[in-house]
Amino acid sequence: MSDGVLKNRFRHHLVIMVTVSCGHCQGEAVLRLDYANLDLCGRCFSRLFERRVARANREFKMVRPGDVVAVGVSGGKDSAALLYVLHKMSKKGRFTVKPVLVDEGIAGYRDVATKKAEELCQRLGLELAIVSYQELAGRPLDDIMKLRDERQLGFTSCGVCGVLRKDCLNQAARKVGASKLAVGHNADDVAQTFLMNALRADVKGFERFGVVSGLGGQEKFVQRVKPLVYNLEKECALYCVVNDLPFHLGECPYSVEAFRGQVKDFLNAVEQRHPGSKFNVLQSFLALKSKLPAVVETQKKAGTCTVCGEHSSSAVCRKCVLLESLA
Ligand code: SF4
Ligand code: ZN
């Protein structure tokens, strides 16, 4: 996608304000952060974005020197920003970055997005490892959804995709010898998941969900970290535009089914009227999580699935239950 097209898409945030100065360096501002009442140039915005990643890394003890970090990439803006910033930090932080991509098997979407991920990896001189639902589940997501409709099974596309992706990413991370798995969940994603759990009264989901998942040192489960937790979704897109990173803007055709989409629209509307609301939801989530030491005990007890041998908190993991219903 050309610069012109990208800038046109993000013109609401990327208005070139010739008369406005950057609030940090007095250079020419190219974007505005409403919640902070702050205009910034591209360079100062990039630094702010990267400082937030470093802060998340420090506060939550995510990546350490010597770590091999598998980075889940999709071709989208969040994971493009994540890979770029972690790759940039890797020399100084003395860790290694290895991009991994999950091919869900969604015709017309995955192939285009994968090309963007490959383009970025090539630019950074990194080898991209690809794993697929076809390998893991014996079928692409398109076929699974056809089966669901034929058999009138009661799961959603994102429900099944979430279960398979987690497993795929974990196996891919192990395959590349990773000690950590970094995923591109941003502040919007965390705030949305927190609200979705609240709206469903899903206390277990709340307990399971965190900025760092798993204790580390578990044989089958690669500890999962979310270094973008302090950056908003639109900031990930802006970071990609400012740093000229290739990414795919198209949406997954199944995303219309998602409950998450409704929660996202709600949060966006609230943020527009009350800038800073998303960060407030995020802070509420983090404050509540910090008061829950019992979660660690739950994770400690997690064992392995009796069917596939992968990490699971129940006798049969959710992926195996799902595959059984498709057999
Ligand atoms: Fe999977 Fe849903 Fe994301 Fe599509 S929108 S890739 S179905 S989780
Ligand atoms: Zn299993």
Side-chain angles (χ1 to χ4, degrees):
M1 188 173 296
S2 75
D3 259 17
V5 175
L6 278 175
K7 281 178 180 159
N8 196 33
R9 286 268 195 141
F10 289 95
R11 63 187 181 283
H12 300 302
H13 307 299
L14 247 189
V15 176
I16 311 298
M17 296 170 290
V18 184
T19 53
V20 179
S21 301
C22 170
H24 284 180
C25 76
Q26 305 310 311
E28 187 181 312
V30 296
L31 56 94
R32 176 168 181 78
L33 307 181
D34 283 332
Y35 59 83
N37 193 23
L38 183 64
D39 301 303
L40 290 174
C41 70
R43 211 165 71 133
C44 289
F45 168 71
S46 283
R47 282 191 187 151
L48 174 72
F49 188 96
E50 288 160 12
R51 273 203 306 274
R52 286 173 175 170
V53 173
R55 181 180 145 215
N57 189 38
R58 203 171 51 244
E59 284 181 3
F60 296 100
K61 300 183 175 57
M62 292 179 175
V63 177
R64 290 282 159 262
D67 267 334
V68 175
V69 185
V71 181
V73 295
S74 65
K77 60 194 178 335
D78 304 325
S79 59
L82 177 68
L83 181 63
Y84 185 79
V85 73
L86 286 183
H87 179 253
K88 205 169 169 183
M89 287 166 66
S90 62
K91 269 203 183 114
K92 208 171 158 202
R94 285 175 283 132
F95 59 87
T96 312
V97 162
K98 296 199 174 180
V100 294
L101 179 140
V102 172
D103 178 350
E104 306 92 348
I106 304 172
Y109 164 73
R110 172 43 54 209
D111 31 353
V112 189
T114 299
K115 281 206 176 76
K116 292 289 176 186
E118 284 170 342
E119 199 183 320
L120 178 60
C121 290
Q122 204 173 15
R123 200 187 289 180
L124 299 176
L126 298 168
E127 194 182 334
L128 177 63
I130 301 180
V131 282
S132 68
Y133 288 1
Q134 177 73 52
E135 283 167 56
L136 183 85
R139 291 184 170 90
L141 187 66
D142 284 343
D143 283 7
I144 295 175
M145 297 321 293
K146 270 188 211 135
L147 265 182
R148 176 199 67 171
D149 294 342
E150 280 164 24
R151 297 183 188 175
Q152 299 189 327
L153 301 169
F155 52 72
T156 63
S157 48
C158 296
V160 62
C161 195
V163 171
L164 295 180
R165 176 181 286 113
K166 262 189 193 155
D167 212 83
C168 253
L169 277 174
N170 193 51
Q171 291 196 31
R174 283 210 314 261
K175 219 186 221 174
V176 299
S179 49
K180 301 279 165 62
L181 168 63
V183 291
H185 292 199
N186 53 49
D188 289 55
D189 294 320
V190 176
Q192 286 160 20
T193 304
F194 175 49
L195 282 190
M196 285 163 70
N197 285 332
L199 289 165
R200 289 168 167 155
D202 186 354
V203 178
K204 282 218 159 62
F206 172 75
E207 285 178 353
R208 267 199 311 268
F209 184 68
V211 175
V212 174
S213 310
L215 294 171
Q218 288 163 317
E219 199 196 332
K220 294 275 182 176
F221 188 76
V222 181
Q223 193 175 43
R224 189 173 300 226
V225 299
K226 296 170 183 157
L228 298 182
V229 63
Y230 288 139
N231 285 293
L232 295 173
E233 181 180 321
K234 91 175 180 198
E235 291 167 341
C236 295
L238 289 170
Y239 184 80
C240 289
V241 174
V242 164
N243 290 286
D244 197 22
L245 309 182
F247 67 94
H248 180 52
L249 262 176
E251 290 216 339
C252 164
Y254 297 114
S255 61
V256 285
E257 288 189 19
F259 175 44
R260 180 176 291 277
Q262 292 159 26
V263 175
K264 180 178 179 167
D265 290 345
F266 165 74
L267 268 175
N268 282 342
V270 175
E271 178 73 20
Q272 194 156 15
R273 291 187 71 120
H274 307 281
S277 296
K278 287 179 184 174
F279 282 132
N280 291 342
V281 175
L282 174 71
Q283 287 308 331
S284 304
F285 167 71
L286 294 175
L288 280 170
K289 281 302 273 192
S290 69
K291 294 188 181 1
L292 269 185
V295 176
V296 172
E297 291 310 311
T298 314
Q299 288 174 342
K300 262 183 192 164
K301 281 182 212 146
T304 49
C305 168
T306 50
V307 179
C308 69
E310 288 295 320
H311 170 87
S312 173
S313 52
S314 50
V316 180
C317 74
R318 294 202 292 165
K319 175 199 69 187
C320 287
V321 172
L322 176 82
L323 293 184
E324 179 60 32
S325 75
L326 297 171

